[in-house]
Each structure stands twice: as structure tokens, then as C-alpha cells.
Amino acid sequence: SHEYTHVVHLDRSRGWFGGLRHVFGRLPVLLPNLFLPQWQIEGIATYEESAITGRGRVHAGDFRMLADRAAAADRFLPLDRASGGLIDWPSGNAAYLYGGFFHDYLSVQYGAEKIRELADATSGRVPYVGTPAFKKVFGRSLGELWTDFEADTRSRASVEPSDARRL
């Protein structure tokens, strides 16, 4: 379901991109979602793998713990670092971790249908200029949504389980 989501999401073209695609075919430059940030590409697929199957990384406790502990330790990655890198924790998992939970947060707060609307909105945007789609779909800027997502994660992470004990 993760890889299938990539196929469906990244192959979208609408507006004048869709028209040009009918003329020139599947040129990469005519697939705007290919140019989204890595956290958004992997995030929607990670979210969907969990939403479709009822399993997946968003539902996995150990994966949730990575985001919660980062928030509790005041090490929650800012939006510009959420695509990750290979030199710092959580390295190659950052795009899946932050992107997956961000899309899950948006789904819970605004409804699952808004994730599809976002994918449609970005599929008609000029490459590298997809962030105004968040304002169009959610009525708030990407920065505001990310700040709310971080605050939500931080509030959940600050509550320690009562049955925890040191071994």
C-alpha cells in the first residue's frame, strides 16, 4: 500500500500540467508531485500504509516513540529539516517519521478527505512552489500547521505511562 500510494500520488497532473501531459506524455517535469519535499512524498505514503491497513508505521509504538521522545527532549525537527539527512538522528527515517505523523495529524484534525484534496492541489502547482496548497486546502499556512503539529506531539509526549518502571 505504501508503494501503491507513491504510484497514485506522484502520477497526478491537473490544470495546464494535465493538458501538457496529454500532448507530451509522462515527462517528469509534467508531474508536479515529484518535486514535493521528501517528507511530503514519503509522509503521505507512510500515512496511507497505516490508514489503509490499520497497521503500518503510524500505528507502531516504537515508531511513535521516536517522535514523542524527540518532542519531549525538545529535539523535534523543524520543517526545513524534516526531510532528514544521513548524518544526524533520525537520519533516513526523518521523512517517514515526521511526514507520516504530520499527515496523520492533518487527517485527524481536518478529515481524511483533506489529504486527497492536498494531493490534488499540489498536482497542479509549479514544481517547488507547493506550499500555498496547504493554505488553500486547510485555510492555514504550512508553517502554522507544522507548529500546531509539534505542539500536539509535545503535549502527548509529556505524559509518561503510569505503569513504567526502571529495570
Side-chain angles (χ1 to χ4, degrees), residues 59-70:
H59 297 301
D62 58 341
F63 202 63
R64 169 64 73 184
M65 182 223 29
L66 294 173
D68 290 351
R69 292 299 89 207

Side-chain angles (χ1 to χ4, degrees), residues 25-124:
R26 296 185 70 241
L27 295 173
V29 74
L30 300 178
L31 302 170
N33 285 349
L34 283 175
F35 300 95
L36 294 173
Q38 198 65 28
W39 65 263
Q40 197 170 356
I41 291 172
E42 293 302 343
I44 195 169
T46 302
Y47 160 74
E48 286 293 334
E49 84 186 22
S50 301
I52 291 170
T53 65
R55 297 179 181 190
R57 286 172 268 197
V58 171
H59 297 301
D62 58 341
F63 202 63
R64 169 64 73 184
M65 182 223 29
L66 294 173
D68 290 351
R69 292 299 89 207
D74 202 28
R75 293 184 52 119
F76 199 85
L77 290 182
L79 183 56
D80 64 337
R81 302 262 309 144
S83 287
L86 300 177
I87 58 170
D88 199 11
W89 184 89
S91 63
N93 288 313
Y96 301 88
L97 178 70
Y98 288 92
F101 286 121
F102 182 59
H103 282 84
D104 184 60
Y105 169 79
L106 294 174
S107 173
V108 169
Q109 296 299 314
Y110 297 94
E113 69 281 352
K114 292 291 188 179
I115 303 300
R116 183 194 52 78
E117 287 179 37
L118 179 62
D120 285 342
T122 57
S123 70

